[in-house]
Amino acid sequence: MFVHSETFIAAPNAVRQKDSLGCLSNHLDIDLELHTGEFTFYRKCRRHEQTSEVVTPASDRGFLIGVSLTAGHRRQIFSGNRSASHDFEKDSVYIRNFENDYRADLLGAFDFVLVEFSRAFIANLRYEQGGSAIAGFSSLPGRKDAIFGHLAQVLALTLDRGSKTSPVFVEQLGVAIGTHLIDKYGNALTQSNKKNRRLSSLHETRAKDMLLGKAQGSVSLEEIASACNLSRSYFIRAFRETMDRTPHQWLLERRIDQARELLKHSNSSLSDIAMACGFVDQSHFTRTFSQLVGTPPGTWRRQNTR
């Protein structure tokens, strides 16, 4: 799905709505998004000199790499009570792990293309390479990378084309960026690291019970982590190392397990099953079921209830 918007500075009384990356949308002159499933491409540009804040809480979304298309941007990044200032030239890069809280002041104009990768995509790409799992990525914000710089120029032109872009080309571009990200900046996850960050059996049971409750209500990852006496970012990492999947992925799989039972042993409609299993709507249910099972729910029901 392609989302294109040209945004302008809003009046002082306008609602300050933040986008999925924590930017104030009404401060952006170019705001483009291209969703493909395993990764999402962005173009975020502000042409005027201004200071704004970006804040995103820890989540299990995956990883984000941003590449600057122009020079002159400065970013003050905060970590606890400390902060560091980083200057961005053309082809400068920064990498974010969504498992960690992120807060930064954006100083001056900027023009970035960004790619958000799911953890599943990174894990599968690493597996295809025959390497060990990736714990994260390390790179000092503002470091220049000529390869990413060239790929960023191609990505900017791709986003400008919008829906005219070839899906195959988009996929190849995402794989190229992900491959270079892993090869140059990936930190292999050692066996000792896995053992040190696993949930205890008590915390694992508590987390699973609360996640299943989340399917019916409004329990947040923050509340689950607090119940386990862990920070949100540590809980997300520990859950992933314990279960080999993120909390969100684990919950989706349990919802699909429940849906299979209802498909096989009830006459409920697909829309009723979608609602009963915690999906937003039938379309979301069908898309998720097809991705995880390999066939649409209606087809699966016909094949398994003869």
Side-chain angles (χ1 to χ4, degrees), residues 247-281:
H248 178 66
Q249 290 167 336
W250 183 87
L251 182 57
L252 283 180
E253 290 173 1
R254 301 292 75 73
R255 288 174 173 174
I256 293 301
D257 288 342
Q258 181 185 1
R260 280 175 166 173
E261 289 298 309
L262 291 174
L263 287 168
K264 193 171 184 178
H265 301 295
S266 79
N267 294 320
S268 300
S269 67
L270 294 184
S271 60
D272 287 343
I273 291 175
M275 295 300 294
C277 297
F279 292 95
V280 175
D281 51 33

Side-chain angles (χ1 to χ4, degrees), residues 10 51-52 58 70 92 95 117 138 159 165 174 185 197 205 221 225 248:
T51 298
S52 61
T70 58
S92 293
I95 302 171
F117 295 99
S138 60
L159 290 173
T165 300
Y185 303 103
R197 292 198 303 197
T205 300
L221 290 180
H248 178 66

Side-chain angles (χ1 to χ4, degrees), residues 1-5 20 31-43 155 158-159 161-167 170-171 281 283-284 287 291:
M1 177 177 63
F2 183 81
V3 181
H4 181 292
S5 63
S20 62
D31 187 13
L32 306 176
E33 296 186 16
L34 179 59
H35 303 274
T36 68
E38 291 185 304
F39 32 74
T40 303
F41 298 110
Y42 303 89
R43 172 89 179 272
L155 178 53
T158 300
L159 290 173
R161 286 179 55 82
S163 58
K164 297 178 182 178
T165 300
S166 164
V170 169
E171 182 178 2
D281 51 33
S283 176
H284 180 215
R287 185 170 62 253
Q291 289 174 344

Side-chain angles (χ1 to χ4, degrees), residues 186-218:
N187 298 324
L189 184 63
T190 64
Q191 196 63 33
S192 61
N193 283 339
K194 287 186 178 182
K195 292 179 180 179
N196 289 339
R197 292 198 303 197
R198 292 177 63 88
L199 291 174
S200 68
S201 58
L202 175 63
H203 288 165
E204 179 183 340
T205 300
R206 183 175 297 166
K208 287 179 178 179
D209 288 344
M210 294 183 73
L211 279 169
L212 291 174
K214 181 181 178 182
Q216 309 299 327
S218 57

Side-chain angles (χ1 to χ4, degrees), residues 59-97:
S59 70
D60 59 2
R61 282 170 59 179
F63 303 97
L64 179 77
I65 177 169
V67 185
S68 180
L69 296 173
T70 58
H73 174 59
R74 173 170 290 182
R75 182 168 298 212
Q76 189 81 12
I77 300 177
F78 298 86
S79 178
N81 295 323
R82 297 177 297 173
S83 68
S85 180
H86 304 275
D87 292 313
F88 286 80
E89 302 298 322
K90 183 177 179 295
D91 300 343
S92 293
V93 174
Y94 76 93
I95 302 171
R96 283 171 59 182
N97 183 345

Side-chain angles (χ1 to χ4, degrees), residues 224-235:
I224 299 173
S226 178
C228 296
N229 294 316
L230 301 172
S231 70
R232 176 172 43 195
S233 60
Y234 186 93
F235 165 73

Side-chain angles (χ1 to χ4, degrees), residues 286-299:
T286 299
R287 185 170 62 253
T288 304
F289 192 99
S290 300
Q291 289 174 344
L292 294 182
V293 180
T295 186
T299 302

